Amino acid sequence: MTTTLRFLREYVRPRADAVEIHELRYDREGEPLTARLYRPAGRRGSLPTWVMLHGLTWHGAAHPSLHRFARAVSAAGPEELAPDVPEWRRLEVAPAVTAPSLSGAIDAACEAGITTPGRVAALGFSFGATQLLAATAANPALARRLYAIAAWGGYCDLRRLFRFGFSGEYEHDGVRYRAQPDPYGAWIMGANFLTQIPGYASHDDVAGALARLAHESGRRGIFAGDAAYDPLKRELRQMLPPDRRPIFDAFAPVTGQAVPDPELAAWLTEALADAAAGAEPLLDPASLLPRLDVRTLLAHGREDRLVPFTETLQLGRIIPAPCRDSHTPTPLFPPPGLNSDIPLPLRLTRESVRFVQLLYRLLGLAPAPR
């Protein structure tokens, strides 16, 4: 319980002298890149080191939520390395860089004397969570270098993810749910794959407009469904040829307005998913995950508006039971931009504390929660 309390104390009320932060370099197949090292102040960790993969985020490894989480984890004992993945920071959907980024970060940590081979755990967030799972399952050599992995907020099925992103509808075991999706995800996928749809190769102007929205949302750190983006939406829409504006409207209607052409939006959902899966087969992890052979913790924020929490429940069914440690939705970390207020200690639920205990138990730092 001591480690859990240290984590919560630092997460709720960060202290400047609790954690040391250094910048390291790591080599990714000949390309020098940067990483942040988090270390408990005044002491060296004796536990396995975490390598943390960010998702598709404008801030990259410097994302405020990841930074706060990393500080809190390190305050309780382990050292962490958060490598920057420049493609993901540019909001480019590039799953192939996952394995070399992770391998390069592990090499850097070992060469710097931070850890030794076999004493590295990996934690991925959102898009990075699913890509971590898929890359580890597809690369036995990489899997052998990992002590354990944890995936926060990952998706299981690409087409279900796209349908949620457009409609807000999702289901699990016959129970149907509906939520307001964060359009940030749809904007990123449209920016990357709209021109891959047959007949849409020339629609780079629409794709560019969606990329502009996604980058602006990442820069501001405000929920992409907020009305604050309406002026930019109108400006970008006006710059498009009239015949292409309905396509833009399917991705980015003005706040409070229904999508003008629901049939077009439904068609785009499926066509975009097909285009994404065809261009980047690694985006759909389901066929790879039964091969996963590393102890794995799955967790998800129950109010996630980019990836519904039911996707983690589905991941838990596909990953082999012998290496699946747990899968638990939790309200501890709200999605960035929706509710960034940090909960006070008395408001933290038992479920939240349970997730933190599970995270440390992966490193042998805490007993199993009851």
Side-chain angles (χ1 to χ4, degrees):
M1 181 60 75
T2 301
T3 54
T4 305
L5 292 176
R6 287 177 182 166
F7 171 93
L8 295 175
R9 182 176 61 187
E10 182 63 20
Y11 189 77
V12 172
R13 191 166 297 174
R15 295 168 297 142
D17 60 348
V19 177
E20 299 172 3
I21 303 174
H22 307 277
E23 183 175 293
L24 294 184
R25 307 286 284 184
Y26 79 99
D27 181 273
R28 190 182 70 185
E29 299 182 328
E31 180 182 10
L33 298 170
T34 61
R36 283 187 173 189
L37 172 66
Y38 294 83
R39 172 174 285 167
R43 54 197 168 95
R44 295 292 300 276
S46 59
L47 300 161
T49 298
W50 284 107
V51 173
M52 294 190 168
L53 288 179
H54 62 79
L56 293 167
T57 167
W58 187 86
H59 293 280
H63 192 290
S65 294
L66 185 146
H67 174 69
R68 188 163 200 161
F69 178 83
R71 285 186 57 93
V73 171
S74 186
E79 293 167 302
E80 301 152 282
L81 195 63
D84 184 58
V85 184
E87 294 85 356
W88 298 357
R89 181 167 36 81
R90 295 193 297 263
L91 309 187
E92 297 171 7
V93 180
V97 304
T98 310
S101 298
L102 186 55
S103 292
I106 294 172
D107 289 340
C110 292
E111 290 166 6
I114 299 166
T115 189
T116 56
R119 290 184 60 77
V120 179
L123 170 58
F125 293 90
S126 193
F127 177 79
T130 295
Q131 296 314 309
L132 168 62
L133 294 170
T136 306
N139 296 271
L142 175 61
R144 286 192 292 272
R145 306 187 73 188
L146 293 174
Y147 179 88
I149 59 178
W152 175 272
Y155 69 89
C156 181
D157 185 279
L158 188 67
R159 286 167 175 78
R160 280 201 307 263
L161 179 67
F162 277 44
R163 290 178 195 128
F164 172 74
F166 275 87
S167 69
E169 297 176 353
Y170 59 110
E171 68 88 25
H172 181 70
D173 286 347
V175 178
R176 295 187 177 275
Y177 302 87
R178 188 177 182 87
Q180 181 187 7
D182 188 335
Y184 178 75
W187 295 347
I188 289 177
M189 293 305 172
N192 279 267
F193 299 114
L194 179 64
T195 58
Q196 303 289 327
I197 297 175
Y200 281 68
S202 64
H203 285 55
D204 51 345
D205 49 359
V206 181
L210 296 172
R212 173 83 183 279
L213 277 173
H215 279 274
E216 187 64 14
S217 175
R219 185 187 70 80
R220 296 188 193 184
I222 301 173
F223 174 47
D226 194 279
Y229 299 101
D230 287 348
L232 180 57
K233 290 178 186 176
R234 293 189 178 98
E235 175 188 338
L236 294 170
R237 184 181 189 276
Q238 190 62 32
M239 296 169 62
L240 296 171
D243 64 326
R244 295 187 179 180
R245 292 173 187 171
I247 301 168
F248 180 79
D249 293 341
F251 286 92
V254 171
T255 305
Q257 292 185 4
V259 175
D261 190 341
E263 291 186 4
L264 173 62
W267 179 83
L268 277 171
T269 301
E270 302 302 324
L272 197 65
D274 289 341
E280 296 284 1
L282 290 174
L283 283 179
D284 217 343
S287 64
L288 296 170
L289 296 183
R291 300 186 231 161
L292 193 63
D293 192 26
V294 179
R295 188 179 177 192
T296 301
L297 169 65
L298 303 171
H300 211 124
R302 193 177 292 276
E303 301 301 320
D304 194 335
R305 300 294 181 87
L306 283 171
V307 181
F309 74 91
T310 51
E311 287 298 291
T312 282
L313 300 181
Q314 292 293 340
L315 286 171
R317 292 180 173 179
I318 294 179
I319 293 172
C323 66
R324 186 185 65 241
D325 191 275
S326 177
H327 54 283
T328 173
T330 169
L332 180 57
F333 306 111
L338 280 177
N339 179 14
S340 58
D341 292 335
I342 306 302
L344 295 174
L346 293 179
R347 292 172 51 203
L348 294 172
T349 66
R350 290 184 62 184
E351 188 176 23
S352 305
V353 173
R354 181 175 183 272
F355 166 70
V356 176
Q357 291 177 318
L358 287 169
L359 188 66
Y360 286 120
R361 185 164 63 84
L362 277 182
L363 303 185
L365 186 60
R370 296 180 180 178

